[in-house]
């Protein structure tokens, strides 16, 4: 993820980048974690979609967005940054090749 640290003024737009390294066509989710807290789910985006299809509690498309700039590169966008947005942000996805069939 880049940038590692991003400093902006209140009201500015924030863009964070995530490269998932492999084109596996799975959702990419974004999470917010404040010091001492657990990660909060923000949103998810499918690589083939133009906008997120699901948001976590307290997060909406009014201020939060995501888009794919390629099959492996994703952006997370915060519109009009607020003090409460200060946190560590994570992108997350999974690789189907790691899954296994469960014997029945």
């Amino acid at each position: 993820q880049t940038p590692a640290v991003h400093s902006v003024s209140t009201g500015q737009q924030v863009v964070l980048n995530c490269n998932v390294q492999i084109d596996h066509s799975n959702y990419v989710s974004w999470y917010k974690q404040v010091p001492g807290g657990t990660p909060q789910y923000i949103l998810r985006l499918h690589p083939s979609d133009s906008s997120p299809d699901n948001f976590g509690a307290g997060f909406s498309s009014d201020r939060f967005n995501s888009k794919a700039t390629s099959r492996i590169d994703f952006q997370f966008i915060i519109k009009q940054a607020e003090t409460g947005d200060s946190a560590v942000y994570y992108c997350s996805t999974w690789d189907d090749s790691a899954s296994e069939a469960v014997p029945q």
Side-chain angles (χ1 to χ4, degrees):
Q1 292 178 237
T2 59
V5 178
H6 199 51
S7 298
V8 300
S9 299
T10 301
Q12 287 187 319
Q13 178 172 282
V14 179
V15 179
L16 304 179
N17 300 290
C18 175
N19 179 291
V20 297
Q21 298 187 327
I22 185 170
D23 178 6
H24 48 47
S25 299
N26 289 324
Y27 281 97
V28 171
S29 299
W30 289 86
Y31 295 84
K32 172 185 179 180
Q33 187 172 25
V34 297
T38 58
Q40 293 176 278
Y41 167 71
I42 304 170
L43 57 77
R44 72 175 188 178
L45 176 75
H46 192 273
S48 63
D49 292 342
S50 59
S51 60
D53 69 354
N54 184 264
F55 289 85
F59 301 96
S60 74
S61 59
D62 291 344
R63 284 210 315 122
F64 301 94
N65 194 19
S66 185
K67 65 180 182 179
T69 57
S70 76
R71 298 293 295 184
I72 62 171
D73 292 297
F74 296 81
Q75 290 185 334
F76 173 66
I77 301 149
I78 304 175
K79 309 167 193 174
Q80 298 181 335
E82 301 174 356
T83 304
D85 296 328
S86 181
V88 176
Y89 290 86
Y90 298 96
C91 61
S92 173
T93 190
W94 72 94
D95 181 356
D96 288 328
S97 67
S99 63
E100 298 181 9
V102 178
Q104 298 188 8

